[in-house]
Amino acid sequence: MTTTPRTRLSPEQRREQLLDLGVRLLAHRSLDELSIDLLAEEAGISRGLLYHYFGSKQAFHEAVVRHAADDLIAQTTPPTDGEPLERLLTSVRAYVDYVVANHEGYVSLVKAAAGGNESLRAIYEEARAALNSRIFREDAVADSGEGEIVPDTPATRLVVRGWSAMTEELVLAWIDDPGGVTRDQLLAIIAGSLRAVVEAIPD
Amino acid sequence: MTTTPRTRLSPEQRREQLLDLGVRLLAHRSLDELSIDLLAEEAGISRGLLYHYFGSKQAFHEAVVRHAADDLIAQTTPPTDGEPLERLLTSVRAYVDYVVANHEGYVSLVKAAAGGNESLRAIYEEARAALNSRIFREDAVADSGEGEIVPDTPATRLVVRGWSAMTEELVLAWIDDPGGVTRDQLLAIIAGSLRAVVEAIPD
Protein backbone atom coordinates (compact mmCIF):
# COMPACT_ATOMS: atom_id res chain seq x y z
CA MET A 1 0.00 0.00 0.00
CA THR A 2 1.18 3.46 -0.82
CA THR A 3 -0.19 6.93 -0.44
CA THR A 4 1.61 8.14 -3.58
CA PRO A 5 -0.44 7.98 -6.76
CA ARG A 6 1.51 6.62 -9.69
CA THR A 7 0.70 9.54 -11.91
CA ARG A 8 0.01 13.07 -10.85
CA LEU A 9 -3.72 13.61 -11.14
CA SER A 10 -5.74 16.71 -10.41
CA PRO A 11 -7.95 16.40 -7.32
CA GLU A 12 -10.96 16.20 -9.63
CA GLN A 13 -9.40 13.36 -11.66
CA ARG A 14 -8.43 11.58 -8.46
CA ARG A 15 -11.97 11.89 -7.15
CA GLU A 16 -13.34 10.50 -10.43
CA GLN A 17 -10.92 7.58 -10.18
CA LEU A 18 -12.09 6.85 -6.65
CA LEU A 19 -15.73 7.03 -7.73
CA ASP A 20 -15.05 4.59 -10.59
CA LEU A 21 -13.54 2.23 -8.06
CA GLY A 22 -16.51 2.73 -5.73
CA VAL A 23 -18.94 1.89 -8.54
CA ARG A 24 -16.95 -1.26 -9.39
CA LEU A 25 -16.97 -2.30 -5.73
CA LEU A 26 -20.71 -1.65 -5.52
CA ALA A 27 -21.47 -3.99 -8.42
CA HIS A 28 -21.20 -7.08 -6.23
CA ARG A 29 -21.95 -5.52 -2.83
CA SER A 30 -24.82 -3.78 -1.13
CA LEU A 31 -24.44 -0.14 -0.15
CA ASP A 32 -24.17 -1.21 3.50
CA GLU A 33 -21.12 -3.26 2.61
CA LEU A 34 -19.43 -0.41 0.76
CA SER A 35 -17.46 1.31 3.50
CA ILE A 36 -14.83 4.04 3.47
CA ASP A 37 -12.46 1.44 4.98
CA LEU A 38 -12.98 -0.91 2.04
CA LEU A 39 -12.46 1.84 -0.52
CA ALA A 40 -9.32 3.00 1.31
CA GLU A 41 -7.94 -0.52 1.27
CA GLU A 42 -8.77 -1.12 -2.40
CA ALA A 43 -7.45 2.28 -3.47
CA GLY A 44 -4.35 2.00 -1.29
CA ILE A 45 -4.88 5.38 0.28
CA SER A 46 -5.69 6.56 3.77
CA ARG A 47 -9.17 6.85 5.22
CA GLY A 48 -8.34 10.44 6.08
CA LEU A 49 -7.76 11.30 2.45
CA LEU A 50 -11.09 9.71 1.52
CA TYR A 51 -12.88 11.81 4.12
CA HIS A 52 -11.10 14.78 2.58
CA TYR A 53 -12.59 13.88 -0.81
CA PHE A 54 -16.08 12.88 0.31
CA GLY A 55 -16.76 14.34 3.75
CA SER A 56 -18.83 11.49 5.20
CA LYS A 57 -19.96 7.95 4.48
CA GLN A 58 -23.42 9.20 3.43
CA ALA A 59 -21.89 11.79 1.08
CA PHE A 60 -19.55 9.10 -0.29
CA HIS A 61 -22.51 6.77 -0.94
CA GLU A 62 -24.42 9.56 -2.65
CA ALA A 63 -21.44 10.37 -4.88
CA VAL A 64 -20.94 6.69 -5.81
CA VAL A 65 -24.63 6.16 -6.54
CA ARG A 66 -24.80 9.33 -8.65
CA HIS A 67 -21.73 8.15 -10.56
CA ALA A 68 -23.34 4.73 -11.07
CA ALA A 69 -26.57 6.36 -12.26
CA ASP A 70 -24.60 8.49 -14.74
CA ASP A 71 -22.90 5.32 -16.01
CA LEU A 72 -26.26 3.59 -16.40
CA ILE A 73 -27.72 6.54 -18.29
CA ALA A 74 -24.65 6.79 -20.54
CA GLN A 75 -24.49 3.06 -21.26
CA THR A 76 -28.17 2.80 -22.13
CA THR A 77 -28.37 5.81 -24.44
CA PRO A 78 -30.35 4.67 -27.47
CA PRO A 79 -28.78 5.23 -30.89
CA THR A 80 -30.05 8.37 -32.62
CA ASP A 81 -31.14 6.64 -35.77
CA GLY A 82 -32.75 3.42 -36.83
CA GLU A 83 -36.22 2.01 -36.54
CA PRO A 84 -37.90 3.09 -33.24
CA LEU A 85 -38.28 -0.48 -31.96
CA GLU A 86 -34.63 -1.24 -32.81
CA ARG A 87 -33.46 1.86 -30.95
CA LEU A 88 -35.56 0.85 -27.96
CA LEU A 89 -34.22 -2.73 -28.06
CA THR A 90 -30.62 -1.48 -28.05
CA SER A 91 -31.30 0.64 -25.00
CA VAL A 92 -33.22 -2.11 -23.18
CA ARG A 93 -30.44 -4.62 -23.93
CA ALA A 94 -27.88 -2.30 -22.34
CA TYR A 95 -30.16 -1.79 -19.32
CA VAL A 96 -30.62 -5.53 -18.78
CA ASP A 97 -26.88 -6.14 -19.11
CA TYR A 98 -26.16 -3.33 -16.67
CA VAL A 99 -28.53 -4.70 -14.02
CA VAL A 100 -27.14 -8.23 -14.48
CA ALA A 101 -23.55 -6.97 -14.13
CA ASN A 102 -24.32 -4.73 -11.14
CA HIS A 103 -27.01 -6.78 -9.47
CA GLU A 104 -26.06 -6.44 -5.81
CA GLY A 105 -25.48 -2.73 -5.93
CA TYR A 106 -28.59 -2.12 -8.03
CA VAL A 107 -30.88 -4.03 -5.68
CA SER A 108 -29.45 -2.26 -2.65
CA LEU A 109 -30.04 1.10 -4.34
CA VAL A 110 -33.66 0.22 -5.12
CA LYS A 111 -34.13 -0.82 -1.49
CA ALA A 112 -32.46 2.29 -0.09
CA ALA A 113 -34.47 4.55 -2.41
CA ALA A 114 -37.78 2.84 -1.66
CA GLY A 115 -37.05 2.54 2.03
CA GLY A 116 -36.87 6.24 2.71
CA ASN A 117 -33.27 7.38 2.26
CA GLU A 118 -34.31 10.70 0.75
CA SER A 119 -31.02 11.65 -0.95
CA LEU A 120 -30.66 8.25 -2.59
CA ARG A 121 -34.32 8.30 -3.50
CA ALA A 122 -33.83 11.63 -5.25
CA ILE A 123 -30.89 10.27 -7.28
CA TYR A 124 -32.85 7.12 -8.14
CA GLU A 125 -35.92 9.11 -9.21
CA GLU A 126 -33.80 11.46 -11.32
CA ALA A 127 -32.17 8.53 -13.09
CA ARG A 128 -35.55 6.88 -13.66
CA ALA A 129 -36.95 10.13 -15.02
CA ALA A 130 -33.94 10.51 -17.33
CA LEU A 131 -34.35 6.95 -18.62
CA ASN A 132 -38.10 7.42 -19.11
CA SER A 133 -37.88 10.81 -20.78
CA ARG A 134 -35.70 9.31 -23.50
CA ILE A 135 -38.66 7.41 -24.77
CA PHE A 136 -39.97 10.84 -25.78
CA ARG A 137 -36.72 12.30 -27.15
CA GLU A 138 -37.42 14.48 -30.11
CA ASP A 139 -33.86 14.78 -31.42
CA ALA A 140 -33.68 11.13 -32.37
CA VAL A 141 -36.82 11.61 -34.40
CA ALA A 142 -35.51 14.73 -36.07
CA ASP A 143 -32.24 13.00 -36.98
CA SER A 144 -33.70 9.81 -38.32
CA GLY A 145 -37.00 10.96 -39.63
CA GLU A 146 -38.26 7.53 -38.67
CA GLY A 147 -40.83 8.41 -36.08
CA GLU A 148 -40.90 8.61 -32.34
CA ILE A 149 -40.96 5.50 -30.14
CA VAL A 150 -44.10 6.67 -28.36
CA PRO A 151 -46.15 9.87 -28.89
CA ASP A 152 -45.74 12.35 -26.02
CA THR A 153 -49.00 12.87 -24.10
CA PRO A 154 -49.83 12.95 -20.37
CA ALA A 155 -51.34 9.46 -20.72
CA THR A 156 -48.26 8.00 -22.44
CA ARG A 157 -46.01 9.67 -19.82
CA LEU A 158 -48.01 7.84 -17.15
CA VAL A 159 -47.89 4.56 -19.03
CA VAL A 160 -44.13 4.81 -19.59
CA ARG A 161 -43.67 5.19 -15.82
CA GLY A 162 -45.60 1.97 -15.33
CA TRP A 163 -43.68 0.22 -18.11
CA SER A 164 -40.42 1.32 -16.51
CA ALA A 165 -41.44 -0.20 -13.15
CA MET A 166 -42.45 -3.37 -14.97
CA THR A 167 -39.09 -3.47 -16.73
CA GLU A 168 -37.21 -3.22 -13.44
CA GLU A 169 -39.35 -5.91 -11.81
CA LEU A 170 -39.04 -8.21 -14.84
CA VAL A 171 -35.26 -7.95 -14.94
CA LEU A 172 -34.83 -8.51 -11.19
CA ALA A 173 -37.34 -11.41 -11.16
CA TRP A 174 -35.68 -12.92 -14.24
CA ILE A 175 -32.23 -12.78 -12.60
CA ASP A 176 -33.67 -14.60 -9.56
CA ASP A 177 -35.41 -17.23 -11.67
CA PRO A 178 -35.33 -17.09 -15.48
CA GLY A 179 -38.05 -19.77 -15.73
CA GLY A 180 -36.73 -20.87 -19.10
CA VAL A 181 -36.92 -17.36 -20.56
CA THR A 182 -33.77 -16.45 -22.51
CA ARG A 183 -32.18 -13.00 -22.45
CA ASP A 184 -33.35 -12.36 -26.01
CA GLN A 185 -36.89 -13.36 -25.11
CA LEU A 186 -36.78 -11.09 -22.08
CA LEU A 187 -35.64 -8.20 -24.29
CA ALA A 188 -38.44 -8.93 -26.76
CA ILE A 189 -41.00 -8.96 -23.93
CA ILE A 190 -39.79 -5.64 -22.51
CA ALA A 191 -39.44 -3.80 -25.80
CA GLY A 192 -42.58 -5.32 -27.32
CA SER A 193 -44.72 -4.55 -24.31
CA LEU A 194 -44.06 -0.80 -24.44
CA ARG A 195 -45.98 -0.39 -27.66
CA ALA A 196 -48.59 -2.87 -26.52
CA VAL A 197 -49.17 -0.96 -23.28
CA VAL A 198 -49.36 2.35 -25.13
CA GLU A 199 -51.92 0.80 -27.47
CA ALA A 200 -53.99 -0.21 -24.43
CA ILE A 201 -54.68 3.50 -23.79
CA PRO A 202 -58.31 4.09 -24.84
CA ASP A 203 -58.94 6.87 -27.38
CA MET B 1 -62.89 6.95 27.74
CA THR B 2 -63.92 3.67 29.24
CA THR B 3 -62.29 0.31 29.67
CA THR B 4 -65.62 -1.53 29.48
CA PRO B 5 -66.59 -2.80 26.04
CA ARG B 6 -70.25 -2.18 25.23
CA THR B 7 -70.94 -5.77 24.30
CA ARG B 8 -69.23 -8.84 25.63
CA LEU B 9 -66.94 -10.12 22.91
CA SER B 10 -64.61 -13.09 22.93
CA PRO B 11 -60.91 -12.11 23.03
CA GLU B 12 -60.62 -13.23 19.41
CA GLN B 13 -63.59 -11.05 18.37
CA ARG B 14 -62.17 -8.14 20.34
CA ARG B 15 -58.81 -8.54 18.65
CA GLU B 16 -60.51 -8.62 15.23
CA GLN B 17 -62.40 -5.44 16.11
CA LEU B 18 -59.15 -3.74 17.11
CA LEU B 19 -57.50 -4.86 13.88
CA ASP B 20 -60.41 -3.47 11.86
CA LEU B 21 -59.93 -0.17 13.64
CA GLY B 22 -56.17 -0.34 13.03
CA VAL B 23 -56.74 -0.88 9.30
CA ARG B 24 -59.17 2.07 9.18
CA LEU B 25 -56.64 4.28 10.98
CA LEU B 26 -53.89 3.15 8.60
CA ALA B 27 -55.87 4.21 5.53
CA HIS B 28 -54.92 7.87 5.95
CA ARG B 29 -51.70 7.46 7.96
CA SER B 30 -48.29 5.97 7.47
CA LEU B 31 -47.26 2.97 9.58
CA ASP B 32 -44.94 5.26 11.56
CA GLU B 33 -47.93 7.34 12.56
CA LEU B 34 -49.98 4.34 13.66
CA SER B 35 -49.02 3.99 17.31
CA ILE B 36 -50.37 1.87 20.14
CA ASP B 37 -51.22 5.17 21.86
CA LEU B 38 -53.39 6.27 18.94
CA LEU B 39 -55.20 2.94 18.75
CA ALA B 40 -55.76 2.99 22.53
CA GLU B 41 -57.24 6.47 22.28
CA GLU B 42 -59.48 5.64 19.31
CA ALA B 43 -60.62 2.34 20.82
CA GLY B 44 -61.11 3.84 24.27
CA ILE B 45 -59.08 1.15 25.99
CA SER B 46 -55.81 1.12 27.87
CA ARG B 47 -52.38 0.80 26.29
CA GLY B 48 -51.75 -2.13 28.62
CA LEU B 49 -54.68 -4.06 27.20
CA LEU B 50 -53.40 -3.45 23.67
CA TYR B 51 -49.97 -4.77 24.62
CA HIS B 52 -51.82 -7.76 26.02
CA TYR B 53 -53.46 -8.32 22.62
CA PHE B 54 -50.48 -7.58 20.39
CA GLY B 55 -47.28 -7.91 22.42
CA SER B 56 -45.28 -5.09 20.79
CA LYS B 57 -45.60 -2.22 18.34
CA GLN B 58 -43.89 -4.29 15.65
CA ALA B 59 -46.25 -7.24 16.24
CA PHE B 60 -49.22 -4.85 16.20
CA HIS B 61 -48.07 -3.38 12.87
CA GLU B 62 -47.62 -6.84 11.43
CA ALA B 63 -51.11 -7.88 12.54
CA VAL B 64 -52.70 -4.71 11.09
CA VAL B 65 -50.84 -5.05 7.80
CA ARG B 66 -51.77 -8.73 7.51
CA HIS B 67 -55.40 -7.81 8.21
CA ALA B 68 -55.23 -5.06 5.57
CA ALA B 69 -53.68 -7.49 3.08
CA ASP B 70 -56.48 -10.00 3.75
CA ASP B 71 -59.03 -7.22 3.15
CA LEU B 72 -57.33 -6.28 -0.11
CA ILE B 73 -57.29 -9.89 -1.28
CA ALA B 74 -60.94 -10.40 -0.32
CA GLN B 75 -62.16 -7.16 -1.88
CA THR B 76 -60.36 -7.80 -5.17
CA THR B 77 -61.45 -11.40 -5.67
CA PRO B 78 -62.51 -11.68 -9.30
CA PRO B 79 -65.98 -13.14 -10.00
CA THR B 80 -65.85 -16.84 -10.88
CA ASP B 81 -67.70 -16.49 -14.12
CA GLY B 82 -67.93 -14.12 -17.04
CA GLU B 83 -65.62 -13.25 -19.86
CA PRO B 84 -61.93 -13.38 -18.75
CA LEU B 85 -61.28 -9.71 -19.49
CA GLU B 86 -64.45 -8.70 -17.62
CA ARG B 87 -63.40 -10.76 -14.57
CA LEU B 88 -59.99 -9.13 -14.67
CA LEU B 89 -61.51 -5.64 -14.98
CA THR B 90 -63.72 -6.23 -11.94
CA SER B 91 -60.70 -7.25 -9.89
CA VAL B 92 -58.52 -4.39 -11.14
CA ARG B 93 -61.31 -1.89 -10.43
CA ALA B 94 -61.49 -3.10 -6.83
CA TYR B 95 -57.70 -2.89 -6.53
CA VAL B 96 -57.58 0.69 -7.81
CA ASP B 97 -60.43 1.71 -5.49
CA TYR B 98 -58.67 0.05 -2.55
CA VAL B 99 -55.39 1.85 -3.17
CA VAL B 100 -57.19 5.19 -3.63
CA ALA B 101 -59.13 4.69 -0.39
CA ASN B 102 -56.09 3.52 1.59
CA HIS B 103 -53.40 5.57 -0.08
CA GLU B 104 -51.29 6.65 2.91
CA GLY B 105 -51.19 3.25 4.52
CA TYR B 106 -50.57 1.48 1.22
CA VAL B 107 -47.63 3.69 0.28
CA SER B 108 -46.08 3.30 3.72
CA LEU B 109 -46.40 -0.48 3.45
CA VAL B 110 -44.70 -0.51 0.05
CA LYS B 111 -41.90 1.63 1.51
CA ALA B 112 -41.51 -0.53 4.62
CA ALA B 113 -41.52 -3.73 2.56
CA ALA B 114 -39.04 -2.41 -0.01
CA GLY B 115 -36.85 -0.75 2.60
CA GLY B 116 -35.90 -3.92 4.40
CA ASN B 117 -38.48 -4.56 7.13
CA GLU B 118 -38.36 -8.31 6.61
CA SER B 119 -41.66 -9.25 8.33
CA LEU B 120 -43.62 -6.59 6.46
CA ARG B 121 -41.82 -7.51 3.26
CA ALA B 122 -42.93 -11.13 3.73
CA ILE B 123 -46.58 -10.10 4.20
CA TYR B 124 -46.40 -7.78 1.19
CA GLU B 125 -44.81 -10.47 -0.99
CA GLU B 126 -47.40 -13.04 0.09
CA ALA B 127 -50.24 -10.66 -0.77
CA ARG B 128 -48.64 -9.85 -4.13
CA ALA B 129 -48.20 -13.56 -4.85
CA ALA B 130 -51.85 -14.22 -3.91
CA LEU B 131 -53.05 -11.43 -6.20
CA ASN B 132 -50.84 -12.62 -9.06
CA SER B 133 -51.67 -16.31 -8.73
CA ARG B 134 -55.35 -15.50 -9.27
CA ILE B 135 -54.58 -14.63 -12.82
CA PHE B 136 -53.90 -18.36 -13.21
CA ARG B 137 -56.83 -19.68 -11.16
CA GLU B 138 -58.15 -22.81 -12.71
CA ASP B 139 -61.45 -23.03 -10.81
CA ALA B 140 -62.82 -19.91 -12.45
CA VAL B 141 -62.12 -21.49 -15.80
CA ALA B 142 -63.76 -24.77 -14.85
CA ASP B 143 -66.85 -22.96 -13.55
CA SER B 144 -67.35 -20.67 -16.47
CA GLY B 145 -65.90 -22.67 -19.29
CA GLU B 146 -64.95 -19.36 -20.77
CA GLY B 147 -61.19 -19.72 -20.83
CA GLU B 148 -58.39 -18.65 -18.56
CA ILE B 149 -57.24 -15.04 -18.34
CA VAL B 150 -53.66 -16.01 -19.17
CA PRO B 151 -52.18 -19.47 -19.88
CA ASP B 152 -49.98 -20.72 -17.04
CA THR B 153 -46.34 -21.06 -18.08
CA PRO B 154 -43.06 -19.98 -16.43
CA ALA B 155 -42.84 -17.12 -18.93
CA THR B 156 -46.38 -15.87 -18.22
CA ARG B 157 -45.72 -16.16 -14.46
CA LEU B 158 -42.72 -13.88 -14.93
CA VAL B 159 -44.68 -11.46 -17.08
CA VAL B 160 -47.57 -11.28 -14.60
CA ARG B 161 -45.06 -10.29 -11.88
CA GLY B 162 -43.93 -7.44 -14.10
CA TRP B 163 -47.50 -6.45 -14.96
CA SER B 164 -48.34 -6.41 -11.27
CA ALA B 165 -45.44 -4.05 -10.51
CA MET B 166 -46.60 -1.87 -13.40
CA THR B 167 -50.13 -1.85 -12.03
CA GLU B 168 -48.95 -0.67 -8.63
CA GLU B 169 -46.76 2.06 -10.14
CA LEU B 170 -49.53 3.18 -12.50
CA VAL B 171 -52.08 3.51 -9.71
CA LEU B 172 -49.72 5.36 -7.36
CA ALA B 173 -48.47 7.67 -10.15
CA TRP B 174 -52.06 8.28 -11.28
CA ILE B 175 -53.13 9.25 -7.77
CA ASP B 176 -50.23 11.73 -7.62
CA ASP B 177 -51.02 13.18 -11.04
CA PRO B 178 -53.85 11.78 -13.20
CA GLY B 179 -52.62 13.74 -16.25
CA GLY B 180 -56.13 13.84 -17.66
CA VAL B 181 -56.51 10.05 -17.47
CA THR B 182 -59.90 9.05 -16.02
CA ARG B 183 -60.39 6.13 -13.64
CA ASP B 184 -62.09 4.13 -16.40
CA GLN B 185 -59.23 4.82 -18.79
CA LEU B 186 -56.74 3.76 -16.14
CA LEU B 187 -58.65 0.51 -15.64
CA ALA B 188 -58.71 -0.10 -19.38
CA ILE B 189 -54.95 0.49 -19.59
CA ILE B 190 -54.20 -1.90 -16.72
CA ALA B 191 -56.55 -4.68 -17.79
CA GLY B 192 -55.80 -4.30 -21.48
CA SER B 193 -52.06 -4.31 -21.00
CA LEU B 194 -52.01 -7.73 -19.33
CA ARG B 195 -53.01 -9.50 -22.49
CA ALA B 196 -50.83 -7.22 -24.58
CA VAL B 197 -47.80 -7.98 -22.43
CA VAL B 198 -48.49 -11.71 -22.53
CA GLU B 199 -48.72 -11.45 -26.31
CA ALA B 200 -45.29 -9.81 -26.35
CA ILE B 201 -43.78 -13.13 -25.22
CA PRO B 202 -42.02 -14.61 -28.27
CA ASP B 203 -43.04 -18.16 -29.32
Side-chain angles (χ1 to χ4, degrees):
Chain A
M1 280 205 261
T2 166
T3 56
T4 316
R6 281 200 217 155
T7 51
R8 188 166 291 275
L9 299 173
S10 71
E12 190 43 46
Q13 287 171 318
R14 187 65 180 143
R15 195 172 181 277
E16 284 291 300
Q17 206 183 46
L18 290 167
L19 285 174
D20 286 339
L21 178 59
V23 170
R24 283 202 304 279
L25 293 172
L26 186 61
H28 303 290
R29 277 176 190 82
S30 71
L31 270 170
D32 284 345
E33 292 162 345
L34 181 64
S35 64
I36 293 265
D37 277 353
L38 178 71
L39 187 69
E41 195 184 313
E42 293 285 333
I45 61 175
S46 72
R47 297 175 71 244
L49 192 54
L50 283 180
Y51 278 104
H52 167 74
Y53 280 114
F54 299 111
S56 68
K57 184 178 176 183
Q58 167 73 10
F60 163 57
H61 278 178
E62 283 174 34
V64 170
V65 167
R66 193 174 291 279
H67 205 72
D70 289 346
D71 279 357
L72 170 62
I73 291 168
Q75 287 176 35
T76 59
T77 305
T80 48
D81 51 43
E83 227 260 302
L85 192 63
E86 268 311 309
R87 283 188 274 132
L88 180 64
L89 254 179
T90 304
S91 178
V92 167
R93 187 180 298 122
Y95 173 79
V96 170
D97 291 346
Y98 184 93
V99 177
V100 168
N102 298 277
H103 186 226
E104 292 284 320
Y106 192 90
V107 168
S108 80
L109 169 61
V110 172
K111 279 190 181 182
N117 182 317
E118 288 307 325
S119 320
L120 295 181
R121 182 177 183 84
I123 299 170
Y124 174 82
E125 293 288 345
E126 266 171 47
R128 255 289 187 68
L131 294 175
N132 293 351
S133 70
R134 271 177 190 171
I135 303 291
F136 304 105
R137 267 180 56 198
E138 292 300 321
D139 54 342
V141 183
D143 286 356
S144 71
E146 286 182 300
E148 52 202 347
I149 295 174
V150 167
D152 191 355
T153 72
T156 58
R157 290 257 163 195
L158 182 69
V159 157
V160 164
R161 261 186 82 161
W163 171 79
S164 171
M166 176 168 70
T167 297
E168 185 174 274
E169 175 76 13
L170 278 175
V171 176
L172 293 177
W174 178 77
I175 292 172
D176 280 348
D177 177 8
V181 174
T182 66
R183 171 171 163 278
D184 280 348
Q185 287 174 328
L186 180 71
L187 296 175
I189 292 168
I190 294 171
S193 63
L194 176 59
R195 232 177 233 178
V197 172
V198 168
E199 278 163 16
I201 301 173
D203 293 328
Chain B
M1 282 205 261
T2 167
T3 57
T4 316
R6 282 200 216 156
T7 50
R8 189 165 291 272
L9 299 173
S10 71
E12 191 44 45
Q13 288 172 318
R14 187 65 179 140
R15 193 172 182 277
E16 284 290 301
Q17 205 183 45
L18 291 167
L19 286 175
D20 285 340
L21 178 58
V23 170
R24 283 203 302 278
L25 293 173
L26 186 60
H28 303 289
R29 278 177 188 82
S30 72
L31 271 170
D32 284 346
E33 292 161 346
L34 181 64
S35 63
I36 293 263
D37 277 353
L38 177 70
L39 187 69
E41 195 183 314
E42 293 285 333
I45 63 177
S46 73
R47 297 175 71 244
L49 192 54
L50 283 180
Y51 278 104
H52 168 74
Y53 279 114
F54 299 110
S56 68
K57 182 177 178 184
Q58 167 73 12
F60 163 58
H61 278 179
E62 282 173 35
V64 170
V65 167
R66 193 174 291 279
H67 206 73
D70 289 346
D71 279 358
L72 170 62
I73 291 168
Q75 288 176 33
T76 59
T77 304
T80 49
D81 51 44
E83 228 261 300
L85 191 63
E86 266 312 308
R87 284 189 273 132
L88 180 64
L89 254 178
T90 305
S91 178
V92 166
R93 187 179 298 120
Y95 173 80
V96 170
D97 290 347
Y98 184 93
V99 177
V100 169
N102 298 276
H103 186 225
E104 292 285 321
Y106 191 90
V107 167
S108 80
L109 170 61
V110 172
K111 278 191 183 182
N117 182 317
E118 289 307 324
S119 321
L120 296 181
R121 182 178 184 82
I123 300 170
Y124 173 82
E125 293 287 345
E126 268 171 46
R128 255 290 184 69
L131 295 175
N132 292 352
S133 70
R134 271 176 187 171
I135 303 291
F136 303 106
R137 267 181 55 198
E138 292 300 322
D139 55 340
V141 182
D143 287 357
S144 70
E146 285 182 302
E148 51 202 350
I149 295 174
V150 167
D152 191 355
T153 72
T156 57
R157 289 257 164 195
L158 181 70
V159 157
V160 164
R161 261 186 82 160
W163 171 79
S164 170
M166 177 168 71
T167 298
E168 184 175 275
E169 175 76 15
L170 279 176
V171 177
L172 294 177
W174 178 77
I175 292 171
D176 280 349
D177 178 9
V181 173
T182 67
R183 171 171 163 279
D184 281 347
Q185 287 174 327
L186 180 72
L187 296 175
I189 291 168
I190 294 171
S193 64
L194 176 60
R195 232 177 232 179
V197 172
V198 168
E199 279 163 15
I201 300 173
D203 294 327

